[in-house]
Structure formats: structure tokens, C-alpha cells
Amino acid sequence: MSSAAYGTAVAENTTQLKSTAAHLKADLNWTDNSSGVRQLQELLDSVLNPEKPAADTEALDWCKCLIAGGEGFEEFCKTVRSYDNATLCGLVWTANFVAYRCRTCGISPCMSLCAECFNNGDHTGHDFNMFRSQAGGACDCGDSNVMRETGFCNRHRLRTGENVPSVPRDLLLMSEMVLPRFIICIIQYLRDGYTEPDTSTERDLQKVLQQLEPQISFLEELTKMGGAMRTVLTKILTNQQIFKDLSVGQEENVYAKKNYEKYLSALKNSGLVSVEEKAQSGAAEPTRGAEAGLLLLLPIVFLKEDQDGGQSVGQRKRVKLSSTAKDPSIMDSLKHKCFLEELLFWTIKYEFPQKMVTFLLNMLPDQDYKITFTKTFVQHYAFIMKTLMKSQESDTMSNRIVHISVQLFSNEELARHVTEECQLLDIMVTVLLYMMESCLIKSELQDEENSRHVVVNCSEPLLKNNTYWPLVSDFINILSHQSVAKKFLEDHSLLMLWMSFVSFFQGMNLNKRELSEHVEFESQTYYAAFAAELEACAQPMWGLLTHCKVKETQEYTKTVVRYCLETLQIWFDAIGFVDEPAPNQVTFHLPLHRYYAMFLSKAVKCQGLDLDSLLPHQEMLMKIMVHPLQIQASLSEIHSNMWVRNGLQIKGQAMTYVQSHFCNSMIDPDIFLLQVCASRLDPDYFISSVFERFKVVDLLTMASVHQNAVLDGEQERPMLEGALTFLVILSSLRIHLGMADDEILRAEMVSQLCMNDRTHSSLLDLIPENPNPKSGIVPGSCSFEEMLSAVADFKAPVFEPGGSMQQGMYTPKEEVWEKEFDPIMVVLRTVYRRDVQSAMDRYSAFLKQSGMHTTGNPWPPYKERTPLHPCYKGLDRLLHCKTLHIVIFTLLYKIWLDHSNMSEHVLCMVLYLIELGLDNQVQEDKEDEVRCILEHCHDSWFPGTNLLSNLHHVINYVRVRVPETAPEVKREKDPPPSTSADASNFGQAQVFSLVAERRRKFQEIINRSSTEASQVVRPKSSSTRWVPPGTPPQLVTEILEIRESMLSLLIKLHQKLSAKQNSLSATWLEDMETNSHAHGDGITAIERILTKAATRSRQSKRSIQEICGKVSPPVAPKKNSPTDKNTMDKDERRQRARERQQKLLAEFASRQKSFMETAMDVESPDAEAAMDLGASEVMESEVLYDCVICGQSGPSTEDRPTGLVVLLQASSVLGHRCKSDETKKLPTTDDEHIYPADTCGAAHDVRLALMQRFFKDVGVLTGKTQSLKHTLSLPRFYICFTQNDQVLQGFSVDKGEFTCPLCRQFANSVLPCRPGRSTEVVSWHMPTNKKTAVLVKEVEDLQEQLGLFPVSTTTESNLSKEMESVIKDIKNTTQRKYMDYGKNPGSPDNDFLFMYSVARTNLELELVHRGGNLCSGGASAAAKRSCLNQLFHVLAMHMRLYSIDSAYNPWTRLTQVRNDPRPEVPMLFRDCPSLLIIFVLTMPQPLRKEHFICLVRMLYNLQYTQALASLSAKFSPEERQAWSTSGALKKNAFDAEKSYDALLSHVIGELSKVKTVYDVNPEVPSMVSHIAVWSPHSIEYSLQQFCLPYLRLSCLLQHHLYGDKLSGCPEVEEFSGLAGCLGLLAPALQPSNPIYSASCLDWTVNAFDLMTQWCSEVTGLSDTQTLLVQDPQWASPHLLHLPDHYNIIFQYYHKKACTACKKVPKDPALCLVCGTFVCLKGLCCKQQGICECVLHSQHCGAATGIFLLINASVIIIIRGHRFCLWGSVYLDAHGEEDRDLRRGKPLFLCVERYRVLQQQWVSHTFDHINKRWGPHYNGL
């Protein structure tokens, strides 16, 4: 078939295509298929012509057809799939996909599963979570290298490979022919389309990719056909021969030649050389031997560059690269041998288009492909990172790179393979070095001019945007494999390279303290610096450490430690460090120190190495100690506000340094390193260094006044506290010094729980990951959960009455407070200082509660420590050195004499140090001690170094240097008494200078190491009197007489603290019981120390007794007496102020309590509404109201009405009531639906529509209202309206909302209280003996004088104005559509009906609140203050404007038999409760109670008749007949009017006169429920049920109008209880005998006549049955029933498409009232600028909406124009919400919370209970 023939072929239809394909396929199947091959090639030449535009899809159709070989492509796919032999899932997903991770099943931490595989596997009880993928991923199900086989799903558990038939040869024959041409075609398009970014805009790349979209999608489709097709693709992609033939193109093809040249130039421009060119230029690759040589050049290259001097830093960076790279070819050579390699090359060039990435990943289940692809990826690794650094979209690109690399490197087998074959480690380290070298700057640490050290510049985008993370994350990933990590640790040159990489971070982000003015610009580079150290240095370090856990790996540790020390030495030389750190500089980044520390710790802890073998000489240790110590001192400086001019960011650094994610990689190693230094260096040197670094040396003098050269006065105290606290931490922290991992976990947990109760997730977050990974239990260690249950109790989530939702919390057990609370650990782990205070407050609360310590504030408890590991025993010498003892002595003395800048904290820490010293004794050689004494006798304070013996050593004189103005100077006017002993002592007065000590020691150590001869006699240095240079000259030397020992000072302090002269008697030691000391304040602490000293040394015991025996008051220097008096006065003043304050607070609290009781929803029966109180007092006075604004109380009058502040809101709760009590389920599958037809709202709509068909003017008196009505939320407090109405002026916010002046809750209107006298109220209540008939007549007369009202409408009083405004408010809060009932909206009739509906709704809602009935529960439930009384008055006043046409007046029709024309609406269709309300509202107020009762009785007759009619319609015709005849017999009995059977038969008789009433078309499904047989009992029951709603409403109305108590009766007797309450039943009747509903009837005319009249009104109408059979009973409203597991909702709805735009919405939500699925913020469903949730809230809930956000698991409430986040009703196993599903743990329905939500919905209290409301601007 020639090309010409092809042209015609295209012209014909697809059948032609198919036949051509089939014909070719047949040709190719012959053994000699050369002609077929030739034909195919010719066809493809013309079809796949790369010169045609890519957008032309015709070629694609050809390919599909050819590959399918004439079949349909779909069938072909199916066939190929049946040969799928893949055992892996391999499903690839992109960002935002919801996947799962199970730590129990995962071998690699990156393991992930798609939802399908997860749900089909068994993961019950596993540690799994759901997560939204950040960068994309692929499902690992079936891959046993990444996860355990037990976690595979059913599909991939079976090794499907074995039983799949082998693929027939001809099936994929065409694919093998066609696809290579197809792929080269794609590649040629890519070559053509690529342009270098500098020559043109980036946009083109996107365009090229868009055109190729169909082709790449086609490749992706092929990969999804399963294993068989993937094998074919792999063959094509990896075959080098095919590539050779096709890539360059045939000789004669000009296009292909050009195209290939484009490819070569692209290679060149990427800075890559193809290998051929390289060979031509003769660059031989350096051999392995050359590398070692290269490494040694490192330092020398630096020197050379420095000598050149002229070069800038920028150039120097580049020079460095050539010398460090292990193998220059890593960075700049590439060679493409197959399609796969070139495809990857273009994928990188085009910056990883998503489709290409997905295609490359979809192929991974094929093992051969996986290996080749991984090698190709590694080969391109350097190029990838170069491209990434240049990329504009580095974020997206990073994600795509990691998407690929994580799939390749998580597999240990594969990672090991490429490490061995492709030098993966070398490549990674080299690339990392290369990357960081692009942003180096000169380090300014220490010696700014001559520093030769370079560090990364944290403000470069590379660090700021974390561009390096893909690389680092890959590196960490491969180091997690033991085999790879071992290779790394064995390769010394690699380690050395790595160390030089780490040293780029050593000393980065240097802070210099601002001394003059505040910095102009606060740089935020510290984020980048901390992230870089954590990710690029610390995490690889932890990765390596996990493989150094056993003895066998000792060598690795030794190597790393050796290189660390070498690199540190290079660093010290480079920054020019000698012995003193530069002042006012600090860097928090010392990764080399930390590597060294952590490997030391592991070596001693896990590998049994001897510490000394790993330590350098003393001088190096001194250097190593300097920078970490500098950080500790700077932390104190920062907290003492010395760095305040550097801005907030410096505080941020100090906090990040100790924060939970960083502490174990930063502060912990630093402190451990300092502990190591302290245990090996001279303790005096160490201690004096500490005080010098903390700048408090000048403060440590016996003199009361001193000059500090470096600190301001207010900084001295915090710095001294900092120094002492640091020493305590240093000597008591055991994290790396002998604690087991379990103990560490326990200590961390306790310290976090002591600060605050914690949720499970925050605990997980706050406890450092290493050494205890929280996931995957390390064998032999205690799991997180077990430990948690050992130290903490779970507090289930509770609700506070304010409505704030609590989470499930863990709180420390009592014994933890008692025995394990460790303030030192708390101080170490607090990010905010306030947390320390919080821990102490909680501790003291516990002590008070358990009665261990009740007076005053307790001190932090002292905790015994785990014993030190033998290697670190030297640490205890810190506590036993003279320098520390002198400091302790000095401080005790200063505290006793109240010198400035001493504090309780200082004393506390000093005592802690003494106690630590007593508990940790040091064993010493005797000779050593003797030598010491001999040597130091002339100038030493103490005889030896042991704390115990120094405690009782008395110090007599001290020589101090003081300013001339000091009080000590003036006292020495007269010469001291010159007894010989004293004079001789004078020469021996103690001198003490820390700095001098330190210098001397340092000199000593240096000399010793230089001469190598350790001299026994130490050189006496002459610098004992050394004075720091630059001190002001007017210091004079004075000698103070002290004559105290530490013990005597302690005892004096005890007296001072207990404020008793001789607080300790001489015999107190014998009386002490030892165990009472654990908790208490300073007094207890001193007693504890003295007891310890006495029990451990007889000498101390004697001294103590001696000192206590001298019961002499302490001789304080005279200067102190006036200040003492002042302090006393001050204390007394303070005490008085405190008492005053307490008194005020108490008064305030009691007021508040009484307010709460009267006003809020406190359930106490005596909190009746205020008007009831007024009503019950039978005094000649008006009801008084208290105004909460002006505080006056007075009556409400016409011109000064008082009002109730209320919140009006529309409500649809009643409309959502259903017939059945069962709540509707939320649908979670496609088969489930919710039908709204059975709701109250729907039923009323139907009824209303029917009525409007029959009666033109239904509105006025049907009274069956629309379902959406109006509610008045609970009122708050009374306000008086002053004449000019000022009160309300302040609150007119838009929409008229304001907050209640008393309780600050939302309100939007004020209901005026009706003026009235309480006597009048009483007269309403008078019982009446009038006959019913008389009352009926009175009522009629009252209705006729409707026009004449006491409040005349002509004079506009303030009261009436207020009432008008309330009505306006009510109308404004209701949506238009709920106000129009009739046919003529806006007419007076319509208004009239609306008023009535407001009243009706509020009554109904109150019933719902009371639980739907007025039995014992419901009667008392209304502790809420109700404003119905006021509301009725306001409504009544407005109703009077409408007179009722007497022809329509239903009263006459109720009470008289008349022969009027037929009324508009038959009486039997009228709604009795509505009529009652309308009568009450339209009659003159106040209505007397006897008239009210009369109304109730007359309407009950009608209600009963309706019940009979409705019942009769439910009977079957036969039953109707039977009842009719049996009842007829009783008609003549004397009580026929009160017997139900007589009345029933009469109704049946009357209604049967016309066929239309009972005859229903059989086709129409009737609403009638046929009970099998109606017994008299069931009839009576159904009649009572029919009448109950009417009775309940009447009763409630009576309660509100007349203040009658509601009778709380048991539910069985509800009917009789209510009837009695309303006076329908004589009280004489015992409730014991069954009550008949008929006995409550009270007819004023002949019952049968009246009924006949009512029935006749109906009989003329058609389709009456639906109107007759009404059911007034509604179940109380419920929200939907939700499933127990949130996952059920999530899986169904998060993928569900929006009904409007058919796309899956970004934020789907569900209405919990009706189950509608809506888009939150979705633009697709916007109407008139209003988003769907807001719209739905208006339709469904009259502006109240309750929505569950599917992707966040939280509920939002929309109320009108505001919304708030309510919280979540789904909690995890630990009682916590998971907002936004961040943790992805399984969530379960919390029934209590859901009940609270429903309660707030039904009671309309969202506005009051939820605090955080915001406007939604219609955007939800």
C-alpha cells in the first residue's frame, strides 16, 4: 500500500481504517513478513509525520486502530487486561488525593495505600491514618519491599501472576511495531518545541505540552492495560538498538537531522556534554586514587585563594567546586542510550509536566522497567537539581521530583543496587555540595577580617524557599536503609566530603547584638537557618545514628568522631579562634558540635566504647566548650531583654532552639557536650567560665555595692538566675548520661503534662521524636500509649455551660505530681516562660488539695536523679570545687543581708546546688587532698574540695574591692582591735577573683600540654590580684569581718524565712521525721539540707547543734535596720491591700452569683419570670421592674414604659417536625434518599394549597399557619425607655443589633411591658360561679365592643410607639415569603394572620422545649424566663386594629345553631388552637380568666367533633356501619351529649348523607391507616391523642397569661391533668378511674343540632377526606441521624459531584437538617451573588443553617448575616476533634455533642451560646 493509497484510505471511513489494520496484522503474522513490515513502515512514515502539527489527532486514531489490529480499541483493552499478571497495585495519584498510611504494616516510613486497597485489607487495631497527599504518590500494595504482606489487600495478596495465561504472540504484535514510531514522534515534538528560557518566554513550553496532551494521555492509557502491555512498553523504552535506529533518523531525512541537532544543542545549553565529545577532548575520568589527593587539597586551596586576595567571595565559590567534587563527571556528563533516557531528559527540561510524571510512574510495577528507570533517574540526578535551582516554579517542581524519587528510593533492594552500580551516594553528596556552594558567604564569626570560613547565606532563595528539600529528603530516605548507610559510613572520603558540607552550616545566621538603636529591618532568615540545620544536617545524622546501635558498629562511630574533630579543628583555625569568644555575637547553629556530641552519646550508651578514647586533648575540649556555652548565656541574655534592640526575631530564635521539634537536635546535644567538657576539664576553670560568660562575675562579691562593667542593674538578677539554673540543669540532667529510652520518654511526657493538661495529639507533637520514634514499636521499648496510661489519667471531653467544647485531655496522675514532677526538666522544655509558672501553679494546687502543703507558695520540689553512667562520673566534681563553694557562700551571705538583685529564685537554685552536692559525693585520693591543702593554704577560702567538709568551715575575714562610696568603707574609720590573733588573721583575709582563677587554670593547662611534663608543683601565678582592665580607679580594698560558715548562714536564713528569732531549737535534729521534707517551701528545703548534712557527717551535726544552741539574734550590720523597717511596713501595706482586694472580689462574686441565678438559664424552679413575682403579691401596687442601665426600679407607665431586651429571629424548626419519632438517616450510598414529604412544613403546604382551591379568602381564620414561623428567643433584662428614648441610641449597629447592657448577649429589639396594677391581675384570677351560658353571652358582648379600647389610638404615647417599633422589628426579621399566606399579600388580613402566627409559633416552640408535653418533665423544664406575656400584649394591641366581620365571627357559629348562609371555611376544617389564640388576641385586654376558660371549653367541643370526624374517616365502611347503629341506641340516654358512641354515630350519620366524604377513589393511596379492629379502648385513646395538642397549648397559654402553675403529672395521666388544669374536669373526679374524653364536653345548646350544622358545612365539598383526616400530633424536631464512623460520610461525599456543575466541589458540605448536599463557597452554585450555603440556610431554615463540612469534619452555623464555627461532633479515640482532617485518625460520633447541637437548634440559642461570630458576606 503506497502513500498515495494511504491518502485515499484516510478519505474513507473508519471501517476502512479497521480493514487496513486487520489486513496488515494478517500480513505481519506470516513467517516471512518482510512485505508487511515494509508496508507498515510506509504507512507510519506518512501518518506519524512529525512535521504535521501535534494538535492533529488523526494520527492518534490511526495508531489506536493499528495497535488494536482491526478490532475496536475498547475490546482490545479488555482483552489485554485479561492477561494482566501484575502483583502490585501501583495506582499513581497527584497532589490532594486522599490516601492512607499504616505504620503497623509499613517497612518504609513513606509507605502509602490507595483507599480501595486500604479498605480491602485488614487494618483493625493498626496505627494508621488518612492523609491528603502533598506531592502525589503511588499505592504500595503488593510490594513486600515496602510493606509487610499481612497488610496487602485481597486483590494483591494472591500472587496473581501464576495463574494468568500467557499472552498470545499476535495480540501485541502490532503494538511492538507501531509504538516505537509513536514514541520517537513524541520525542521529536519535544525537541522541536523546546526553547532555552533566556531566548524566549517560558509560556511556549506550556503550549507545546498542551498540544501533546492527547498523545501522552494515550501512553498513560496503555500503561493502565496491565502487565502485558507494560512489558511491551518496557522493551521499547529500554531497547538501545531501536533508539539508535530511530533517534538520529535516516541519512536522507533532513528533518530528522535538524531535529537531532536541536537535541544536541539542548544538551550543550544544559551545561552537559555528551560523552562522545568528552572523549574527543581527551578528558580522562580521574581514577579512584586521585580522589584522596583531591580531598587533602581542601585547606590548601583556601590559603591560595586568600593570598590572591583580589578575588571576591563570588568567584571563590566556584574555585572550590573543582577541588572538592569527587568525580567531575558527575556534574556535567550525560549520555542517552534509549528512549527512556531521552524521555526523562525532556521531562526534566520541561520541568516535570504532571502527565509525563504520571506516565513514567505508571510503568513502575514492571520490575525491569523499575530498575532501568531508577538507574536513568540517578544518572540524571545532577541535571535535575541544576534545573530545579534555575526553575521559577521550584515548589511544584520539587513536589513532582519527590513524587518520583520516593517511589524509587524507598525500596531497600533497589537503593542498594543503584548505590553499588551508579555511585548514588557520591552523586547525592556531590550535588548537595554543588547546590550549597552557590550561596556561600564569608563567615563573620569571631575574627571578621581574617576569617577563612564560609557559611551559607540564609537569605538566598535556595534556603529561604527550601529549594534543597527534594535532595535532602532523598538523601534521608536512602540513609534509612541499613545497607546504604553502612556503605556511606565505610567510605571515608565520602564522610570527609559530608563533614565539609555540614561545616557550611556551622555558624550560619550570626546575630550581632545591637547596642545603640533598634534594628531598622528585622530579618526573618532564622526560619530558613533552623529548617536547614534540621533538614540538611540533623535528620541525616539521626538516620546514620539508627545504624550505630550495636557493638559491631563501633568502627563507624570512631570514624565519624575522628572526622568531626578534624573538621572542628579546621573550623577553629579558619575563624581564628584562640580562647575567648567575640563579645555580643551568637549563632545557634553548631551542627559539627552536635554531630560530635550525638555520636559520643551513642558510642557510650549503645556501643560500650570508652569515652576517653574518643575525646581530644584538654585544650581542644576548652575550645569545644566555648560556643555551646555562649548559646546558653545568650538565652539568658535574650530573656533578660539585653537583645531587645534586635527585635522580636531574636526571641523567636531562642524559642525555636528549645522547641519540641528542634530540642533533641539542638539544645540537648549542646548541654550533653557541655556535660562532657565539665566532666573532663578542671571544675574551677569550668565554673568560673560559666559565671564569666553569664557576665555576673562582678556581682559575686561580699560587698553590698559593686560596679558591673557589662550589665545594667535590672539585668543582673535574671542573668544570675540564668547562670545558677544552667548549673543546676548541667549537673542534674541525665538525658544522655545514663537514662534508658523508656525513662527519657516518661520524663518528657511528665514535664509536658505538668505544664498543662494535653490532648493526645499535642502530646505526640510535643515529645521529641528521637530517641523514641512514636510510630512502629521498637522491640524491647515501652510504647507511647502504655507510657501515657502509666503517667496520666484521661479526662473525657465535657461541655461547659458557656457552650465551649472541651477536647479529651490527659492530666497527670496524683503520684506523678508527688514523686515525678521535675521542675528542671520543665524549665528545659518550656518555650514560653509562663509555662514554668503554670506548672508551678498546678503543682501547688495539687499540694493544697492533697493537704501536703497548705500555707504559702511551695518551692519547686527536689528530685533524686538516676545514677550517672560511670564514664561521666567526673561531672560530680563540678559540685565539689572551691570556686562553686565560694560562690554559694557569697550568695547565701548576700541573700541573708538583703543585698540588691537577690531573689527567692537565686536562693532556691543555690540550695538545689548544695543538695545535689550532698547527694553526689566524689571519692578522692588522700594524697591529692593533702597536696591541695599544702599548696593553697596561704590564700584559699576552704581547706578542701569536698562540700560536706566545707559546709561547716568558718570564714572570718574577706578582703573586698569596693567603690569609695560603699557603706563598708565608712565603717572602718577606727582601726580594728589589734589583738594578736586578729592581726594575724588580717593577713589571711580571703581574696577571690573568678577571672584570675580561670586565667591561671587556662595557663596551666596550656603549659602542661606544651611541655608534656605534668609537673607536680603547680606554678604559682602572680595574677591573684588581677583586676579586669578598664575598671574605674576609685576602687578601694576593704576587709569585712564575716565569721560565718555555710551552715550558720543556712540556719540564719531559716530564721529569716520563718520570721522567728530562733526557729530551730538545739534539739530539732532529733525530733525531725525525715519523710516530711519532700514538698514544701524554702524552710522545708533548708531543713532537708541540714538533715542530710547532719546524717552524712558528724562534724556537721555538731556544728549545727552548736549554732542552734547559740540562741543569739543574728547580728546584722547596722546599715540594714531602716530598710528592715521599711520592708516590714511594705509587707504590712501589701497584706492590707490584698485583704481589701479579696473583700471587693468576694462582694463582686456574690453579686454575680445572684445575677446568674435570677437571669441565666440556671435550672432552679424559683427563677420564675419577674412578672410572675409581681403577680403573686397581693398588694395595692403596680408591678415594679428594675432597669439594668440606670439601676432604678419603678412601674412601667404609658409615657415611661419599661422593656425587655429580646432577640427576634425567624425559625423553621417546627416545619421540620415529622410524624414518626424515628430520626431520618443521612444517606451514605447512592440507594438511600431522604423524602421530605412527611415533614410538618410539607403537610401544611399541601393543606394550604387545598384550602386555597376551595375558599377564596382562606387567610383570615383557617389558622393553619405556614410552617415557618417566628420565634422570640429568651428575653434578657428590663430596660426603661426614657422620654427621649436615649437608652437604645448606643446600639444601632447596622441590622439593628446590639448587645444586652447586662449580659452582653446579642439582641435586636425591646419588648415594652404593659402598664398594669397587680390588684387588677388578682381580679383576673377570681374563681367564678357563673353558668357557662352566661359566660358565652359575656364573651359575645366583649367581642362586639371591639372598637372601644382603653388605649385610644389617637393619643400616641411612648408605649404605643415602642410597640409599633417592635412589630416592625418582627417583620424585618422574617423573610418575605413566610409572611404572605393569603391570595392578596400585604392586605390587612395578611398582617393579621402574620401576627397570629408569631404567637402560635412561640407557644409551639415552648412546647417543643418542654419535651413536647406538659407532664412532670415538661412542666418544670421552663426555668427560662419567658416573654410571652409581653409579646401577647404587643400583638393584641395590633390585632385590635382589625375588626372581625360578625358574619364571619366564628364565636357565634361555635355556640349557637343558626341558619346562616354557609361560611367561608367549614368549622370542621378550622384549627382550634389558632382560633383560641385569635380570640384571646382580639378581645379587650386584660381578659378575665373566666372568659378565657369559657373560650377553651367552647373550642374543646369543636376539637372533639373534629376528632370524631377524623376518626370516622379512618374506619372501613363495615365498621362505620356497626358503630353508627350501636351508637344510635344511646342517643336518648340522659348523658348522650357526653358519650362518645352516641356522638360518633351522629357524626357518621351526618357525614354519610353525601357520598363524597367517605368514598375515596381506590387508586388514590389514602392517608388512612386501617387498624385491624377498633375497640372502644383504642377509639378513646385516639380521641385523646387528637385533642392533646389543643389542651397543651391552651394550658401553656393560661400559664403565661395568668401565671398558673403547670401541673406536673405522670405521662399516663396527661389528658386528665391538663383537663383539670383548664377547668374542663371537675376536680372531684378521682384520676384513678379511667377518664373519658367525652366527659369534658360542655354544650350550651343541643349538641346534636350543633354537630349537624358543622357537618353540613362540609358535605357540599369534594375531596374532603384529606382535609378531614388531619393529624395534629407531630414528633419533636430532630437533626438527621448520623453514622457512627466519620469515614462512611467522608468516603461517600468527598468524591460526590455537585449537582449544578457536575464537578467534585472543593469544599462540599451537608445540611444536617434536611441532608441536602451543597458547595461551600462554590462559585458554580452562586445565585444573585449569594453562595449556596447561605441560600440554603434561607430556604431550609429561615436563615439558620447547620452544615457539616465534609473535608474538615467541623460544623458551621449560619445565622442570618453571620456565621460561626461550632466545632465537631466527630471525635477520635482520644476525644479530640480533627479539624481539616490533618491527623487523619478514625473519627467516631460523639452522641453528647450532637445532642447539644440539636438542643441549641431547637431552642434557638446559637446566638447566645456561641461566642465567635463573623460576617459571611454571602460568600459561604
Side-chain angles (χ1 to χ4, degrees), residues 694-764:
F694 277 83
K695 307 189 169 149
V696 288
V697 175
D698 297 347
L699 175 68
L700 300 173
T701 164
M702 291 284 190
S704 59
V705 182
H706 63 273
Q707 285 182 333
N708 194 328
V710 277
L711 289 183
D712 299 349
E714 72 270 14
Q715 292 157 355
E716 282 189 330
R717 198 187 81 226
M719 286 303 286
L720 178 61
E721 288 173 0
L724 292 167
T725 310
F726 166 66
L727 281 175
V728 170
I729 289 178
L730 197 73
S731 39
S732 60
L733 193 66
R734 296 282 186 267
I735 287 188
H736 291 290
L737 305 184
M739 278 173 92
D741 286 354
D742 286 352
E743 295 176 278
I744 297 176
L745 175 62
R746 188 172 181 120
E748 296 274 9
M749 214 176 257
V750 168
S751 65
Q752 290 298 348
L753 288 168
C754 288
M755 294 179 220
N756 282 302
D757 287 351
R758 306 277 189 197
T759 59
H760 188 270
S761 60
S762 66
L763 251 188
L764 267 175

Side-chain angles (χ1 to χ4, degrees), residues 151 347 605 829 981 1388 1428 1505 1555 1566 1803:
T347 304
K605 186 171 175 175
R829 286 287 180 252
L1428 279 168
T1505 312
K1555 284 274 187 291
S1566 72
S1803 59

Side-chain angles (χ1 to χ4, degrees), residues 1073-1124:
E1073 69 276 16
T1074 44
N1075 56 1
S1076 64
H1077 284 322
H1079 307 279
D1081 52 12
I1083 302 173
T1084 332
I1086 294 179
E1087 287 173 11
R1088 193 169 60 228
I1089 289 173
L1090 292 175
T1091 317
K1092 280 186 180 176
T1095 47
R1096 286 175 201 180
S1097 127
R1098 287 193 301 282
Q1099 176 70 48
S1100 301
K1101 189 170 182 176
R1102 272 204 302 284
S1103 319
I1104 293 173
Q1105 286 167 334
E1106 208 172 292
I1107 300 164
C1108 294
K1110 297 182 192 159
V1111 195
S1112 57
V1115 185
K1118 301 178 192 74
K1119 137 183 184 301
N1120 270 23
S1121 53
T1123 63
D1124 267 6

Side-chain angles (χ1 to χ4, degrees), residues 187 191 237-244 247-248 260 263-264 266-268 270 272-276 333-349 375-377 379-381 383:
I187 286 182
R191 288 175 180 178
L237 287 172
T238 56
N239 186 322
Q240 303 195 1
Q241 193 50 48
I242 301 181
F243 180 69
K244 245 195 196 133
S247 167
V248 185
Y260 187 65
Y263 155 67
L264 289 177
L267 263 183
K268 252 210 187 67
S270 315
L272 302 166
V273 200
S274 75
V275 181
E276 291 84 19
S333 71
L334 265 185
K335 179 175 176 185
H336 294 147
K337 302 198 191 70
C338 62
F339 282 142
L340 180 57
E341 294 178 5
E342 195 175 338
L343 264 182
L344 181 63
F345 172 75
W346 289 114
T347 304
I348 300 165
K349 270 297 202 191
K375 286 182 177 167
T376 310
F377 188 78
Q379 181 193 336
H380 283 78
Y381 204 75
F383 175 46

